[in-house]
Amino acid sequence: SLLAAAVRARKSIMIAGGQGRGKTTLMRALLHECDPSERIMVLEQEPELQLDADEIRHNQVLNWIARPANMEGEGAVTLADLAWAIKRHNPDRIVVGEVLGAEVMVMLEAAGQGIAGALCTMHSKDAYRVFSRMVHYAQLGQPNVTPAFVMDTAADALDLVVYLDMTPAGTRVISEITHVHRYDPMAGHVVADQWYMAGRDRAAVRNHNAPIPGNLLEELVAYGYDPTLGSRW
């Protein structure tokens, strides 16, 4: 209910987790909450999401697939190359199947400059380490970019970081939901609230020390969030 409402409210969401935790599966489910008329630009290394296979749910999808270099080392088309190109096609929403490099900055800058509702996935060991990973990826393409600039851009662009994990029994679960506030230049880190945190079995439980801000709660409720669903946690 919370994440579906966040998508409909055009909040930008980073889905993080380890290998095989269900990041692509969750992203696909969340994208099904979009209005069918939205013009969605999908960037992927491999065509996994397949949103255009269901024209009832998505009738304006453009898929952009990276291309490796040939045997002579030429002809490569990276996700960063594609990320620059898609902005000319008037997207309503940008989706990056998995952030792997310099394309992270293009995606963040686009989300921060008016293309709201971006979704992407990233490998990370927890929700907060997503920001240090972004710095690493950004510096692959722009070695001189500062960590402060990357984290400030990320804090401006992202609304939620959703972390996926696995229980001891082997069940894939949402483990953390973190709301991004801002970048604090004095402290040198991103200020964020952990709305849901990992419980004993790694599945998310409500963090009652981090309530959803009133104005944001009203907005999410207007888009279908039912806060009573989590009251038992």
Side-chain angles (χ1 to χ4, degrees), residues 26 79-80:
L26 177 61
L79 290 180

Side-chain angles (χ1 to χ4, degrees), residues 12-14 108 130-131 134 153-161 180:
S12 293
I13 302 173
M14 172 70 76
L108 291 174
V130 161
F131 299 103
M134 287 183 189
T153 304
D156 182 54
L158 291 177
D159 297 294
L160 297 176
V161 177
V180 182

Side-chain angles (χ1 to χ4, degrees), residues 155-156 158-159 178-183 190-193 195 211 213 216:
D156 182 54
L158 291 177
D159 297 294
T178 298
H179 174 236
V180 182
H181 277 290
R182 59 184 174 83
Y183 174 68
V190 173
V191 178
D193 286 336
W195 288 350
L216 182 53

Side-chain angles (χ1 to χ4, degrees), residues 17-211:
Q19 188 72 32
R21 295 301 191 261
K23 298 185 293 298
T24 300
T25 302
L26 177 61
M27 174 183 277
R28 185 185 296 110
L30 292 180
L31 285 167
H32 289 339
E33 298 296 329
C34 298
D35 189 282
S37 65
E38 284 191 19
R39 189 170 174 81
I40 302 174
M41 305 289 166
V42 179
L43 287 80
E44 295 181 285
Q45 290 283 356
E46 301 290 340
E48 294 182 306
L49 284 170
Q50 305 286 344
L51 296 181
D52 53 345
D54 189 342
E55 293 185 359
I56 296 177
R57 279 179 163 159
H58 307 285
N59 58 41
Q60 292 197 62
V61 178
L62 288 180
N63 295 305
W64 303 73
I65 309 299
R67 183 178 67 194
N70 60 22
M71 295 185 66
E72 288 75 34
E74 299 178 351
V77 179
T78 68
L79 290 180
D81 296 331
L82 296 175
W84 283 111
I86 64 173
K87 297 203 299 188
R88 302 192 192 101
H89 292 260
N90 300 316
D92 292 319
R93 194 183 297 264
I94 295 176
V95 176
V96 183
E98 183 179 344
V99 171
L100 295 169
E103 70 276 1
V104 66
M105 287 306 298
V106 184
M107 183 272 296
L108 291 174
E109 288 169 355
Q113 293 170 8
I115 307 176
L119 278 86
C120 55
T121 72
M122 178 185 288
H123 285 286
S124 180
K125 292 184 178 180
D126 57 46
Y128 197 76
R129 292 191 200 189
V130 161
F131 299 103
S132 60
R133 296 286 290 177
M134 287 183 189
V135 172
H136 170 70
Y137 286 138
Q139 290 179 337
L140 291 177
Q142 305 175 54
N144 295 326
V145 70
T146 65
F149 178 78
V150 177
M151 287 191 282
D152 187 32
T153 304
D156 182 54
L158 291 177
D159 297 294
L160 297 176
V161 177
V162 179
Y163 182 72
L164 306 185
D165 207 340
M166 191 171 288
T167 67
T171 302
R172 298 185 297 182
V173 293
I174 293 175
S175 186
E176 302 173 46
I177 300 177
T178 298
H179 174 236
V180 182
H181 277 290
R182 59 184 174 83
Y183 174 68
D184 185 342
M186 298 298 293
H189 62 72
V190 173
V191 178
D193 286 336
Q194 194 177 45
W195 288 350
Y196 280 81
M197 57 186 181
R200 291 183 179 179
D201 64 350
R202 304 301 301 164
V205 295
R206 189 74 179 91
N207 180 8
H208 296 288
N209 293 320

